[in-house]
Amino acid sequence: MLKKLLIATALIASATSSTLADPPKGYVSVKPTSKDHPLKELVSGYWYRDPATRAIQDDEFQNPGMLLVEAGKELWSKVDGKAGKSCASCHGDPKKSMANVGTSFPKMMGQGDKRTLRNVESQINVCRTENMQAEPWKLESKDMLAMTVFTKHQSLGKPVNVKVDGEAAKWFEKGKAMYYTRTGQLDLSCSHCHEMMEGKYIRSDHLSQGQINGFPLYRLKDQAVLSVHKRFEGCIRDTRAEFPKAGSDDLLALELYVAWRGNGLPVETPAVRH
Amino acid sequence: MSNIKPRVKAPKTAKVGEIVEIKSLITHEMESGQRKDKDGAVIPRKIINKFVATANGKEVFSAAIAPAISANPYIAFKMKVEAATELKLVWTEDGGAEFSDVQNIAIG
Amino acid sequence: MTNLTRRDTMVLGAASLAVATSLNTPALADAKTADESLAKLGLSGASASADLVLDMPEIAENGNTVPLTVSVKSKMTADDYVKRVVLVADGNPAPEVVTFNFTPASGEAYASTRMRLAKTQNVIAVAETSKGAKLMAKREVKVTIGGCGG
């Protein structure tokens, strides 16, 4: 039913440009940085949400994600692991050392045969296990979310700028293929909702471009902060498909590709969405 | 849970007679008692049910809170500053546990 | 509804578990309807007044966190001040929302918070003054549940 509806509307609205159905006051869009970008303009998920939701994101005091920024700040100086170090021991002032975390990850990290694409979460665990000799944090655990939010928040307002060339190219291509591949019982790909139909409504949900410039973010629906992979899980599950495991290479590739789709949008971590 | 942290926004100084806004937030799931877990059992209610603000020991404002208040309860209220004030905010959880925060407002 | 059924969202759980509400709720509770709740607090018969402003969005895109602000026009002096403002919702599993208690030291009868709405319904505010006056304001808030969104 859903598929027929989407195909029908796709045929009618085949040459859609990526604009909001009824843009709210003050709405800002960004031109994509690369020429072969599938969207004409980039709009943060922020603008698809109603004024009350946007107000909560903007109010640093009320934004529940900021509670995790504070928690992350505390963890930053906390000694953990056999090496007797804290993040601060090596990285000093997070405002300086983490300034580009939100704009550059996922990216190629590591030496020799350990070199691979890492997102913030996986890099945090590499740092913890290898440099701090501490236990890795579980994905979606409060500590992991807090540190991810805290470090990405240091790039607040800066434009996302992930690299997809050179070594990262094969990850980029993988992610792109995933983005456009139909999956699940509902036989949908990410592009159906977030490229073909973005700006339109699916029931009462306002379809956004599926950008991730605000992640990890607070979801009103879950009343909790979620990571990118957790969100991908939810989306893929909605097509009634089996989803790749959080932290897997597949999702890392997808994360890189989706981040690239938002290159130019400001980092909003921690954003608030519904 | 040690995860329960209050957060308060209050001015550092105020003039005598000035009405200031105090914003408060506390991390708390506010488990309503309406939800069921994966096995179908009701997750028991556990919420912050009371919030009291005192200025120099005297109650200024309070709230009796029901499960309909959202998680990470946010409460903002106003207060007339008459003198240098020690503002104490206390949140009480079902079961009696208390969490508090103190803010000092100087005259100036 | 395609896939919300398996999720323990407040919104869905709420409607089907009306029974479980009264189990261990202290003080305020036990009232089945918004009117009963107000009656228990001695606040029946309040008259609509423009002096009591209940500010809420017309449409809440998510019922979990809906902002609200109440304010009452009042001198807030020792002999004439707003004692309390009670908020109830007529479509939630339990009608009580919150009661704000003010004193003359409040300066202004004003409070703001965020509430949960199980579905489209009315939120009613009743203010009681130290002189015994009862004021009422009502807002209908439409709650939309998304069509998708993991």
Side-chain angles (χ1 to χ4, degrees):
Chain A
M1 180 57 209
L2 198 60
K3 189 164 65 161
K4 282 191 206 141
L5 188 70
L6 282 181
I7 292 169
T9 5
L11 291 173
I12 298 164
S14 43
T16 4
S17 62
S18 314
T19 47
L20 287 165
D22 42 19
K25 205 163 66 159
Y27 129 94
V28 167
S29 72
V30 167
K31 284 267 172 287
T33 47
S34 61
K35 288 190 192 72
D36 52 356
H37 200 288
L39 301 170
K40 286 202 184 67
E41 56 170 0
L42 307 180
V43 183
S44 167
Y46 175 84
W47 295 108
Y48 292 79
R49 302 278 63 92
D50 71 15
T53 308
R54 280 183 260 138
I56 297 177
Q57 174 175 325
D58 293 338
D59 184 343
E60 216 192 69
F61 184 82
Q62 276 209 59
N63 181 336
M66 291 304 293
L67 294 165
L68 278 191
V69 170
E70 283 180 12
K73 194 172 175 193
E74 277 182 33
L75 285 170
W76 182 264
S77 333
K78 191 170 159 208
V79 169
D80 200 5
K82 297 194 190 78
K85 292 185 183 160
S86 68
C87 311
S89 311
C90 293
H91 294 293
D93 180 3
K95 276 199 193 72
K96 294 200 182 85
S97 57
M98 302 290 117
N100 294 319
V101 166
T103 59
S104 62
F105 273 88
K107 63 178 174 180
M108 297 300 294
M109 298 281 286
Q111 314 289 354
D113 52 355
K114 280 210 188 124
R115 194 158 174 80
T116 184
L117 187 77
R118 291 194 199 138
N119 64 359
V120 178
E121 290 90 334
S122 53
Q123 182 57 45
I124 287 172
N125 271 345
V126 165
C127 264
R128 284 183 61 78
T129 52
E130 291 182 12
N131 305 330
M132 292 166 71
Q133 285 160 58
E135 288 300 307
W137 279 329
K138 263 186 140 153
L139 295 180
E140 294 322 294
S141 66
K142 183 159 179 261
D143 286 346
M144 177 57 93
L145 286 168
M147 189 53 72
T148 309
V149 169
F150 174 66
T151 49
K152 282 184 135 172
H153 183 71
Q154 305 306 313
S155 310
L156 187 73
K158 291 199 190 143
V160 175
N161 187 21
V162 298
K163 299 243 169 302
V164 297
D165 54 3
E167 301 168 283
K170 67 170 203 262
W171 294 87
F172 173 77
E173 291 303 327
K174 176 85 208 277
K176 184 175 173 184
M178 284 178 72
Y179 196 86
Y180 287 98
T181 302
R182 289 174 181 270
T183 62
Q185 291 181 325
L186 291 184
D187 210 26
L188 294 169
S189 73
C190 316
S191 67
H192 282 100
C193 288
H194 296 298
E195 188 174 303
M196 264 188 256
M197 294 293 145
E198 66 85 19
K200 299 195 168 40
Y201 284 83
I202 188 167
R203 295 213 195 101
S204 55
D205 228 342
H206 199 178
L207 289 171
S208 71
Q209 294 181 343
Q211 301 288 3
I212 55 175
N213 57 310
F215 274 84
L217 50 78
Y218 186 81
R219 271 199 103 195
L220 294 178
K221 174 182 179 282
D222 300 294
Q223 292 184 111
V225 172
L226 262 68
S227 69
V228 176
H229 289 200
K230 187 78 183 167
R231 189 66 193 89
F232 283 164
E233 182 186 297
C235 260
I236 297 169
R237 189 176 49 205
D238 273 353
T239 64
R240 303 214 187 128
E242 267 192 54
F243 44 86
K245 205 164 165 251
S248 64
D249 281 353
D250 276 354
L251 286 191
L252 282 169
L254 184 60
E255 185 180 344
L256 177 67
Y257 177 71
V258 177
W260 170 82
R261 286 176 75 92
N263 266 0
L265 285 174
V267 172
E268 288 177 30
T269 309
V272 175
R273 302 284 187 262
H274 90 298
Chain B
M1 270 211 309
S2 58
N3 281 332
I4 299 172
K5 286 192 78 178
R7 225 179 164 219
V8 182
K9 192 170 175 186
K12 293 263 180 294
T13 60
K15 296 192 176 30
V16 173
E18 190 180 340
I19 298 171
V20 298
E21 184 175 12
I22 310 293
K23 292 185 178 181
S24 78
L25 194 115
I26 186 165
T27 54
H28 198 282
E29 291 229 323
M30 296 293 280
E31 193 59 66
S32 63
Q34 294 287 333
R35 298 196 309 160
K36 278 181 174 163
D37 64 18
K38 289 190 188 76
D39 305 314
V42 172
I43 303 171
R45 165 189 151 144
K46 191 134 188 146
I47 67 164
I48 295 288
N49 62 50
K50 196 163 86 165
F51 172 78
V52 180
T54 55
N56 297 330
K58 208 168 151 209
E59 185 174 311
V60 172
F61 169 87
S62 72
I65 301 165
I69 293 298
S70 305
N72 301 321
Y74 166 76
I75 297 178
F77 61 97
K78 294 208 177 159
M79 190 177 93
K80 196 170 189 187
V81 178
E82 300 289 14
T85 303
E86 185 192 74
L87 175 67
K88 187 169 182 198
L89 304 178
V90 180
W91 292 260
T92 309
E93 192 186 39
D94 286 342
E98 281 186 359
F99 309 92
S100 63
D101 191 270
V102 176
Q103 298 284 320
N104 285 296
I105 304 174
I107 298 295
Chain C
M1 289 224 249
T2 45
N3 38 33
L4 287 178
T5 46
R6 290 185 67 217
R7 299 189 210 301
D8 306 89
T9 50
M10 247 301 289
V11 180
L12 282 180
S16 54
L17 285 173
V19 180
T21 335
S22 47
L23 282 178
N24 41 26
T25 44
L28 282 186
D30 279 331
K32 293 257 157 55
T33 68
D35 286 338
E36 280 176 21
S37 184
L38 289 171
K40 271 196 172 207
L41 294 165
L43 293 174
S44 305
S47 38
S49 166
D51 284 351
L52 165 56
V53 178
L54 170 60
D55 197 10
M56 293 192 75
E58 220 180 282
I59 303 174
E61 66 178 347
N62 185 283
N64 274 337
T65 311
V66 185
L68 72 87
T69 299
V70 284
S71 65
V72 191
K73 198 165 147 188
S74 163
K75 291 194 189 86
M76 295 303 277
T77 56
D79 53 282
D80 187 12
Y81 66 99
V82 175
K83 279 172 64 177
R84 59 178 172 167
V85 175
V86 173
L87 282 144
V88 291
D90 68 6
N92 269 353
E96 304 83 7
V97 179
V98 67
T99 294
F100 295 123
N101 300 302
F102 302 97
T103 64
S106 297
E108 267 182 52
Y110 162 95
S112 185
T113 186
R114 305 185 298 213
M115 70 172 287
R116 293 163 165 158
L117 288 169
K119 56 179 184 175
T120 295
Q121 60 189 287
N122 293 303
V123 177
I124 302 133
V126 176
E128 185 185 27
T129 71
S130 57
K131 294 196 167 186
K134 288 178 238 174
L135 316 155
M136 192 263 288
K138 187 158 78 168
R139 286 293 288 245
E140 192 203 29
V141 183
K142 290 186 185 44
V143 177
T144 62
I145 301 174
C148 225

